[in-house]
Structures are given as structure tokens and as C-alpha cells.
Amino acid sequence: MDTNILSLAGTSPVVLGVFVILIFFSVVSWAIIFYKLVQIHKANSESVRFMDFFWKTKRFDTIAAQADRFASSPLVVLFNEGHSELKQLMDAEGKQEQSGVSTDLGGVANVSRALRRATNQEVNRLERYTTFLATTGSASPFIGLFGTVWGIMVAFQGIGMTGSASLAVVAPGIAEALRATAIGLVAAIPAVMAYNHFQHKIRVLVKEMDSFSTEFLNIVQRNIAGK
Amino acid sequence: MQTLQRRSDTWLGVTLLLSTALHVAAFFVMVWLQRLSPDLGQVQTTYYVDMVNLPVASPQSGSPIPTPTPAREEVATAPQAGPTASVKAAPKAAPMAIGKSPSTAAQSFQERLASLAGKAAEERQAAALASIREKVAGGRAGMPGATGAQAGSDYTAYLHSRLKDAFRETISYQSRAPFVAVRLTIDGEGRIVQLRLLQSSGDKVFENAVQRAISLAQQRIVPPPGHTVYQGSFVFKPQGVTHQ
């Protein structure tokens, strides 16, 4: 009896295929985990720094000029989108005043829509690839279970052919088959944990983006009302 | 919008490489740990001891009737230590007692106590010996001049035990209540020279299992007592092996 748990000798091709799929799932999900850890950490830290800079610097033009320093922050994207929309609004308003046409363009609503669109796109960007983690977490144990069931079927066929039911004949086949479930769980557990962690972090960032949008709109409305 | 499109996932390729490296490293760590851990080696064969028909390593002709002399010596040696020591210790203890207390009454008391202890030990030994004799007389006792091939002889029990052990490893059947009766002929060297199928339920898988069990048992059996030819019939059923 081969006691080496890493030996693949005598493993059925279907179970080997299951191993390959599960290892692929594991490799890709860990790559996504590392990528998302870096991405969300940078988004959080640069958002904090950007908010400090935003409240210290009163002028939008100055902030827009320095925004590239905080490129990983989703709040910078919101600011750029809002500021861009605001500039277009101001330009259009100036042209209308010159031509004597009505100036009621619903400017704040435009900026609000721009901010909402930017928020949605940032959420999409932050949530990208996390669905793969969810898929790995839910499907890997079942794929591993399939490999185990198949391996046990093959093992029982072998037992039937040899005609012996002793432990030395039964145990290796079942032990080999159970490795598929083990690998499935090894792939699934980190993926599920990481998915939950990232979902929590993304929810926090979404709330920050909503808060920033509200603040930005308040500032815009105060300025437009003051004119 | 333009800002969003500019953002690419360049880091994803790097993390993919990192993840691959991590998995390869984890694999090598597991291989290394596997080498560090003590080798489990081959699975040891489990031996079952039949406590009812205890086989003997070198079966003699029939079951030897224990001669009284060695049995008495063997039994007597074990419990001797206590009482004898106390009996012998008494005279040694006496001078010390005299040295400490000149009273002769105390000395005589010690001597009487020692003699009583000695008598009690002798009675216990006699009772134990009688009990062993009763057990031997009530159990299987070989007949003088027996070949060991008779029913109930030790060689039959020994062979029965070997067959049962082997049959546990090979048992396999397809029908509901299979059985096979075989007659074995074992030569003086302990080889199965003839295997005759007396009766069978017709289950080929079960017959093969019986054949494999006999082949397996053949590797372990010792020659019959006196290197005589042994013949015996055994019935194999899923419940076990019985001697016919």
C-alpha cells in the first residue's frame, strides 16, 4: 500500500482532471485575492489622504490638478467626474447668459447623475473578479466531491475484480478518492473567506463614495445658489 | 468615464504569477514534510488469535497430557517467593528480635506466625494445582498414539485457525448463502497436495475466494505432527470456516 499522500500513481484520469480543475481554481482565486487585497488597501489609504487634501484645499481647480496623486482612490474618480460635469455646466451657463436664453439647466441634478454614474462604475471596478471567488467557494467542494465519488466507484470496481474485501485493498482507493474533496475544500475555504472580506470592504467604500457625493453636491449647490 | 477606462489590471498578471509560485512552493513544502515524517511502511498483517481453539506453534501428536511433575514445579515456583521468603525471614528476624527484646514469648509467636503463613501458602498452591488439573482433565486431551489428524486434535484446530485467518482476507461472494465443502490432504512437509471439492452451492466467486484462502493459508502452515499425512474436511461459509 502506497502511504504517500502526494503520489498520483494509479489515479483515474477523471480524478486527475478534477485535480487539475481544482488547482486552476485555487491558483486563480489566490491571484484574485492578492490583487484585491492590494487594490482595496490602496483605495482605502488613498481615499483617506484624498479627503484630507480635499478639505484642506478649498479650490476645485487645485484639487483637480493634484488628483493624480490619489489615482487609486474611487473618490478621485467621483471628484473628476463631478468637476468635469460642473465645468461643462458652467461653460454652457456662460454661453446662455451671453445669448439671453434661460439659465435654468438643473445643474445640480446633472452633477448628481454624473456622480451616481461614476459611483456605479467604481463599484463595478471594485467588485470585478470577486464573482470568481464566489464561484470557487461554492463550486469547488462539489467538484471535489464528484472526484471522490468517481474515485470510490473506480475503487469498488477494482475490489470487485480482485474479489478481495480486505482493508489493504479497499483503503488506498478510498484514500486517493478523498484527496479530491480535500483539494476542493482547500480551494474553497480561502475563496469564501476572501469574498466575504472584500464584500465588507467594498460596502464601506460605497458608503464613503455616497458621503463624498453628498458633500460634493452640497458644495456645488452652495456655490450655484451664492451666485 | 475616461479616467475609468485608463485603469487597467496590470497587477493581476503579477498576482497570478505570485499565486502560481505560492502553489508550487506549497507543493514542495508538502513533499518535504512528507519526507520528514516517519515512513509508515508497509501495512502490517493483523493476526487473530483464536482463544477457543488456541493453536500451538509446533503441534505434537494429539494434545500432550501435562505430566504432574513439571506442572507442579511450574506452578510452585511462582507463588513460592512470598511464603518461602516469609518463612525464611522468620529465623533471621528472630535474632534481631532477641537483640532488641529478650522475651522468648515474642520469639515463639513469630515462629508460629511463620509456620501458619507457610501452611496457608502450601494450601493455596495445592488448590491452584488441583484447579489446573481439573481444567486439563475437562478440556481437550490427546489420545496416546493419536496422529493429530482426528477431529478436535490440535493440528486440526491449528489448521482451522489458519484457514479462518486466510478466509477473512479473501472472502467474496455473489449469491445469498454460498458454501463450499473441501477435503484437504496435507503431506508430511506441510504442503497441500490435494484439494477436493466435496460440495458447493455453485457460487464461482465464493469458490475462488475459498481457493485463494487455502493458497494463502498454505504459506503459513507447519507440517503435521510426526510428519504424517493429514486429511481433513472443512466447510466454508460467509459466517466462517467449520471443520467437518
Side-chain angles (χ1 to χ4, degrees):
Chain A
M1 179 185 160
D2 191 1
T3 54
N4 188 351
I5 58 165
L6 300 172
S7 171
L8 292 175
T11 307
S12 107
V14 175
V15 180
L16 275 176
V18 167
F19 285 165
V20 170
I21 291 169
L22 291 175
I23 288 167
F24 168 77
F25 268 96
S26 181
V27 168
V28 175
S29 63
W30 273 101
I32 291 169
I33 288 168
F34 290 137
Y35 175 70
K36 284 287 160 189
L37 276 175
V38 173
Q39 186 190 36
I40 290 177
H41 175 73
K42 283 175 79 176
N44 270 323
S45 60
E46 291 192 6
S47 292
V48 171
R49 284 172 51 216
F50 175 73
M51 286 308 289
D52 284 344
F53 180 70
F54 181 82
W55 289 116
K56 281 176 189 168
T57 313
K58 302 290 182 187
R59 295 184 60 81
F60 277 7
D61 291 337
T62 314
I63 295 169
Q66 299 281 323
D68 288 345
R69 286 167 51 199
F70 316 100
S72 297
S73 170
L75 303 184
V76 170
V77 179
L78 264 69
F79 173 80
N80 284 339
E81 288 290 311
H83 184 242
S84 169
E85 186 65 32
L86 190 62
K87 271 182 20 182
Q88 287 175 14
L89 186 71
M90 299 297 277
D91 290 346
E93 196 174 356
K95 284 176 187 171
Q96 282 173 353
E97 278 177 0
Q98 284 173 5
S99 62
V101 186
S102 169
T103 59
D104 188 11
L105 297 175
V108 176
N110 278 6
V111 175
S112 172
R113 279 194 293 273
L115 288 173
R116 186 166 296 282
R117 191 183 63 219
T119 302
N120 289 338
Q121 286 176 349
E122 276 303 287
V123 171
N124 286 342
R125 187 178 69 86
L126 289 169
E127 285 185 341
R128 195 184 304 160
Y129 307 125
T130 55
T131 49
F132 188 87
L133 295 180
T135 305
T136 302
S138 57
S140 289
F142 290 110
I143 295 170
L145 192 63
F146 166 72
T148 297
V149 170
W150 190 274
I152 288 175
M153 278 164 55
V154 170
F156 277 127
Q157 277 178 348
I159 291 162
M161 285 168 71
T162 56
S164 178
S166 68
L167 195 64
V169 176
V170 176
I174 293 174
E176 272 180 16
L178 283 172
R179 279 187 300 185
T181 303
I183 296 175
L185 292 175
V186 165
I189 291 168
V192 170
M193 291 171 72
Y195 178 77
N196 290 333
H197 174 74
F198 294 143
Q199 284 300 309
H200 167 71
K201 291 285 182 185
I202 290 167
R203 271 200 301 273
V204 171
L205 280 170
V206 168
K207 282 178 185 169
E208 281 182 15
M209 284 189 274
D210 286 343
S211 301
F212 178 77
S213 298
T214 311
E215 290 294 335
F216 189 89
L217 286 173
N218 285 344
I219 292 168
V220 168
Q221 200 157 22
R222 274 201 300 270
N223 287 340
I224 288 176
K227 281 189 176 179
Chain B
M1 287 293 285
Q2 288 171 356
T3 316
L4 291 175
Q5 284 169 357
R6 275 205 307 272
R7 294 185 176 201
S8 60
D9 298 324
T10 49
W11 277 97
L12 193 60
V14 177
T15 55
L16 198 60
L17 285 176
L18 183 67
S19 173
T20 309
L22 185 80
H23 280 75
V24 171
F27 176 77
F28 281 114
V29 166
M30 283 176 73
V31 170
W32 181 62
L33 287 175
Q34 186 80 14
R35 285 185 183 170
L36 277 187
S37 63
D39 189 16
L40 297 175
Q42 295 297 313
V43 174
Q44 297 296 315
T45 311
T46 307
Y47 293 101
Y48 299 93
V49 178
D50 189 344
M51 296 302 288
V52 178
N53 301 309
L54 198 63
V56 290
S58 299
Q60 299 301 315
S61 177
S63 290
I65 299 171
T67 52
T69 316
R72 182 176 292 173
E73 280 174 1
E74 192 180 334
V75 173
T77 46
Q80 231 172 6
T84 314
S86 62
V87 170
K88 285 182 180 172
K92 284 183 184 173
M96 288 175 70
I98 291 165
K100 285 181 181 176
S101 168
S103 170
T104 52
Q107 188 183 354
S108 65
F109 176 73
Q110 291 284 343
E111 284 173 358
R112 281 171 58 197
L113 195 63
S115 68
L116 283 172
K119 278 181 185 173
E122 279 176 10
E123 282 173 7
R124 277 202 302 274
Q125 286 173 18
L129 194 58
S131 167
I132 289 168
R133 279 178 179 163
E134 277 176 17
K135 282 180 184 172
V136 170
R140 289 176 291 105
M143 295 295 289
T147 61
Q150 284 78 11
S153 75
D154 276 349
Y155 191 72
T156 302
Y158 165 79
L159 197 61
H160 181 211
S161 180
R162 295 280 73 81
L163 288 171
K164 275 206 299 188
D165 285 351
F167 191 51
R168 272 196 199 96
E169 295 182 24
T170 64
I171 185 166
S172 177
Y173 53 93
Q174 284 181 325
S175 55
R176 183 168 289 179
F179 71 92
V180 167
V182 293
R183 184 163 184 81
L184 299 177
T185 306
I186 298 171
D187 68 1
E189 299 302 317
R191 290 178 302 226
I192 298 173
V193 291
Q194 195 181 9
L195 166 63
R196 197 193 307 165
L197 190 67
L198 300 177
Q199 214 174 354
S200 170
S201 64
D203 188 336
K204 293 292 176 194
V205 174
F206 191 69
E207 284 176 14
N208 286 337
V210 170
Q211 210 161 5
R212 282 200 306 276
I214 292 167
S215 302
L216 195 62
Q218 189 180 7
Q219 298 165 9
R220 301 174 187 170
I221 58 176
V222 298
H227 292 276
T228 55
V229 175
Y230 171 89
Q231 282 195 331
S233 300
F234 296 89
V235 178
F236 290 79
K237 289 180 180 175
Q239 294 80 10
V241 184
T242 52
H243 178 250
Q244 210 175 25

